[in-house]
Amino acid sequence: FVVAAAVQETGVVHTISGLVFGKAKTEKSAIAHMVLPVASFSAFMNNTPIVAMLMPVVSDWGRRNNVSPSRLLLPLSYIAILGGTCTLIGTSTNLIIRDLIIKEGEARAVNGVIPDAFEALGMFEMAKVGVPFVVIGSAYLLLFGRRLLPNRRDMIERVEAAPREYFAQMRIEPVCSLIGQSIEAAGLRQLPGLFLTEIYRNEQAISPVSPREVLCEADILTFTGVVSTILDLERIHGLVPVADAAYEADAVKRRTMNLVEAVISPRSPLAGKNIRDADFRATYNSAVIAVNRGAERLQGRVGDIVLRSGDSLLLQTGTHFSRAHRNNPDFYLVSEIAGARPTRHDKRYICIGLLVVLVVLMTLDLPRFPVEIAAWSVAFLMLATRCVNSGVARNSIDWQTILTIGTAIALGKALDNSGAAEMLADRIIDLSGGTGRFSLYLTLFLLYALTGFFAETVSCKAAAMIMFPIAVTVAITLGVNPKTFIMGTAFATAATFATPLGYPTNLMVYGAGGYKFTDFTRVGLPLTVILALCATILIPVFWPFE
């Protein structure tokens, strides 16, 4: 959780997300462009922050290309889930299964020797079936699944009745990645809720702005648009607001600052003064970033705007500005902007390096440096190098997931100790018909199906804990390799598509895409059945019954 938060805070995922769609212009090509980057990232990160980061990117692309988010968000969730089946750290259920295998091996060790069937999973061991899962699942979504997706056109049209359009200017710093790119290539032409009105270059105004205009260092770009997209602009490395000379462009200093909206009251001494003369920094310890004046479209330089009663200001403020000025008669209203933390661009290479170290350590799985120590060490280094602060790290921890895992461990133990696991195992064996070759494949399929049912209706983590002892008991009873059935359980819990309850990312896109419960069943159930058949065929190839 902490490492994933650091990857998000430093803008590593955001940097890549801008490249996801490339030149995709159709719905099918958009889904195809998502497969490689989303699956690759989800193989090494928790899926939840990946989907959280890409949801607005996907939705914005849909709005720009007249494609409903309902046609894209469900594939985004599914591709992230598929990618998570490729590595040990791709999803938490893989780590749960690994831990259970280790404990079972220790319990069955003879003279300190752990049976081969209970050797811990390697970093890329699951890729043997996980990569085919990604290929088959992606092909299904592109060829058949997308035809079953709902087309909720109203999701495109659902915007604010009267969005506040702010007038802002952004300067291109020497380190900005936009230098040398055309307006169209930089993605500044079709930003949702934002319009590039002109460019100031060497004190000369360029207007209207051609899509082919190439951006240069020190260009000042003039935008009108909604707050959320202006904040997205600010997250672009090297693109900084210039509305106030005192603005803290240094991201290190900005981490102690907040972004706040404030509305000027008739009694305010700011009314009748332009921003440059108002001396905001000295009076309020804050800097003006952008200005809104109702339906009126402002022009000129932001610093030259003469403020009026009712103007809304977007401010960079100190930590306690809202508390200090909530009752200040100079303002009608003071409210903080949620999710406006500056991206830690200066730490992204450190974060990438630490992430690579974590992957290498988990791949090698050194006896003196086990997975747990590797994860803790890298998380500590992420904090020590300030890739993520302690507050964000604490908030990133999903305690509900941890509690679910903890209680599921107890439930799995109860099934094993009470004999319920053995009873269910006997029932599965009776249904499959014995120990013949076909019967073993049928047993694996039934075990996969039962695990999938628990994962879709309870949770994937609980399903892993409940079904692991059953899988081991089935294998021991039949006298076959337990690893075969354990891997069936692992893939069934890691690949859940038929309900929004099965995986957190499904719930995340549920409301944003305007989906119904039945949408997941219609699109996800065929995919679940296809992958169950694939797993039944492929798992015995890499983890044989004998």
Side-chain angles (χ1 to χ4, degrees):
F1 287 124
V2 174
V3 171
V7 171
Q8 186 169 355
E9 285 287 296
T10 53
V12 173
V13 177
H14 185 74
T15 300
I16 300 299
S17 68
L19 306 174
V20 167
F21 291 111
K23 297 181 179 180
K25 295 297 181 184
T26 65
E27 172 194 310
K28 186 176 181 179
S29 64
I31 295 174
H33 275 75
M34 281 195 285
V35 173
L36 184 59
V38 174
S40 299
F41 262 87
S42 62
F44 299 102
M45 278 181 60
N46 189 300
N47 297 338
T48 305
I50 294 174
V51 174
M53 178 66 77
L54 292 180
M55 275 173 59
V57 175
V58 171
S59 297
D60 291 345
W61 183 93
R63 281 192 289 271
R64 292 197 302 269
N65 292 275
N66 198 32
V67 177
S68 171
S70 65
R71 304 288 296 174
L72 299 170
L73 291 178
L74 196 58
L76 171 65
S77 176
Y78 283 3
I79 293 168
I81 293 171
L82 289 167
T85 65
C86 294
T87 67
L88 178 63
I89 60 174
T91 180
S92 57
T93 57
N94 295 351
L95 290 169
I96 293 172
I97 293 292
R98 176 188 181 276
D99 188 56
L100 292 172
I101 291 173
I102 292 173
K103 286 183 169 60
E104 191 71 24
E106 292 171 348
R108 295 178 181 274
V110 178
N111 297 324
V113 178
I114 295 174
D116 293 342
F118 295 101
E119 288 183 354
L121 293 175
M123 178 65 171
F124 295 102
E125 189 172 352
M126 295 189 70
K128 300 169 185 175
V129 175
V131 171
F133 265 31
V134 173
V135 174
I136 294 167
S138 301
Y140 165 81
L141 287 172
L142 288 168
L143 299 176
F144 305 105
R146 69 185 187 86
R147 303 178 190 275
L148 303 174
L149 290 165
N151 190 17
R152 305 273 153 70
R153 304 298 300 177
D154 58 307
M155 295 302 295
I156 299 178
E157 300 163 2
R158 194 177 68 183
V159 296
E160 290 182 273
R164 292 191 301 278
E165 281 199 350
Y166 275 92
F167 179 73
Q169 290 181 318
M170 312 289 286
R171 183 178 62 249
I172 296 180
E173 298 288 285
V175 296
C176 186
S177 59
L178 302 182
I179 295 174
Q181 296 188 47
S182 67
I183 297 296
E184 187 171 25
L188 300 179
R189 193 66 182 174
Q190 294 179 311
L191 290 169
L194 199 73
F195 181 67
L196 176 59
T197 59
E198 61 185 358
I199 298 176
Y200 282 98
R201 181 178 297 158
N202 300 324
E203 300 300 320
Q204 298 294 318
I206 301 173
S207 181
V209 181
S210 167
R212 295 182 294 277
E213 184 69 43
V214 176
L215 296 168
C216 302
E217 179 185 335
D219 279 356
I220 296 177
L221 313 181
T222 303
F223 294 93
T224 58
V226 295
V227 169
S228 58
T229 315
I230 289 176
L231 295 182
D232 287 339
L233 285 175
E234 195 187 1
R235 294 189 180 102
I236 298 174
H237 186 40
L239 192 64
V240 299
V242 292
D244 190 305
Y247 181 82
E248 299 290 358
D250 186 347
V252 176
K253 295 179 181 179
R254 283 166 51 211
R255 284 175 203 147
T256 61
M257 311 296 282
N258 291 340
L259 287 181
V260 170
E261 282 186 288
V263 181
I264 297 175
S265 72
R267 298 173 55 187
S268 175
L270 299 170
K273 294 181 180 178
N274 65 38
I275 293 175
R276 186 176 293 105
D277 296 336
D279 202 9
F280 236 86
R281 176 69 70 182
T283 307
Y284 301 102
N285 191 29
S286 62
V288 179
I289 296 175
V291 183
N292 161 260
R293 184 171 292 163
E296 182 179 342
R297 177 158 286 186
L298 300 172
Q299 294 180 336
R301 297 294 187 100
V302 175
D304 295 332
I305 294 174
V306 177
L307 299 174
R308 300 179 188 172
S309 170
D311 284 354
S312 294
L313 306 180
L314 185 63
L315 307 174
Q316 182 202 48
T317 72
T319 310
H320 304 296
F321 182 90
S322 296
R323 187 186 308 168
H325 296 282
R326 184 174 292 118
N327 298 315
N328 190 330
D330 293 355
F331 304 106
Y332 274 134
L333 177 70
V334 175
S335 63
E336 291 189 8
I337 305 294
R341 277 194 316 276
T343 303
R344 298 169 179 248
H345 293 292
D346 56 313
K347 302 293 184 181
R348 58 182 170 175
Y349 295 114
I350 297 174
C351 181
I352 291 172
L354 290 173
L355 187 61
V356 170
V357 169
L358 176 61
V359 172
V360 170
L361 289 174
M362 297 187 86
T363 302
L364 297 175
D365 197 13
L366 302 173
R368 295 184 179 180
F369 221 86
V371 171
E372 295 84 355
I373 300 299
W376 273 103
S377 300
V378 172
F380 173 78
L381 289 172
M382 290 287 192
L383 285 163
T385 56
R386 298 187 178 180
C387 290
V388 61
N389 64 42
S390 57
V392 173
R394 283 195 303 271
N395 293 333
S396 72
I397 299 172
D398 188 345
W399 293 106
Q400 184 175 356
T401 295
I402 292 175
L403 288 171
T404 299
I405 293 172
T407 53
I409 290 171
L411 182 56
K413 276 292 182 185
L415 283 170
D416 193 20
N417 295 339
S418 66
E422 187 175 356
M423 182 188 72
L424 285 171
D426 290 340
R427 185 59 180 160
I428 291 173
I429 294 170
D430 290 342
L431 288 171
S432 62
T435 57
R437 194 70 181 175
F438 176 79
S439 296
L440 289 176
Y441 278 99
L442 182 57
T443 302
L444 178 58
F445 180 82
L446 291 174
L447 189 70
Y448 189 106
L450 182 59
T451 304
F453 172 77
F454 279 122
E456 299 285 7
T457 55
V458 183
S459 81
C460 52
K461 285 98 174 169
M465 299 303 308
I466 293 169
M467 293 303 299
F468 181 86
I470 297 173
V472 173
T473 304
V474 167
I476 299 300
T477 303
L478 293 175
V480 298
N481 180 13
K483 200 67 163 283
T484 310
F485 295 112
I486 290 171
M487 297 313 295
T489 298
F491 282 104
T493 54
T496 53
F497 309 99
T499 72
L501 306 175
Y503 206 87
T505 57
N506 287 346
L507 281 173
M508 289 171 65
V509 302
Y510 184 77
Y515 295 112
K516 298 178 181 177
F517 193 97
T518 52
D519 293 332
F520 287 84
T521 306
R522 184 173 62 254
V523 182
L525 186 57
L527 177 58
T528 301
V529 173
I530 291 170
L531 294 181
L533 292 172
C534 292
T536 303
I537 296 169
L538 292 175
I539 287 174
V541 173
F542 300 107
W543 300 277
F545 289 116
E546 293 80 14

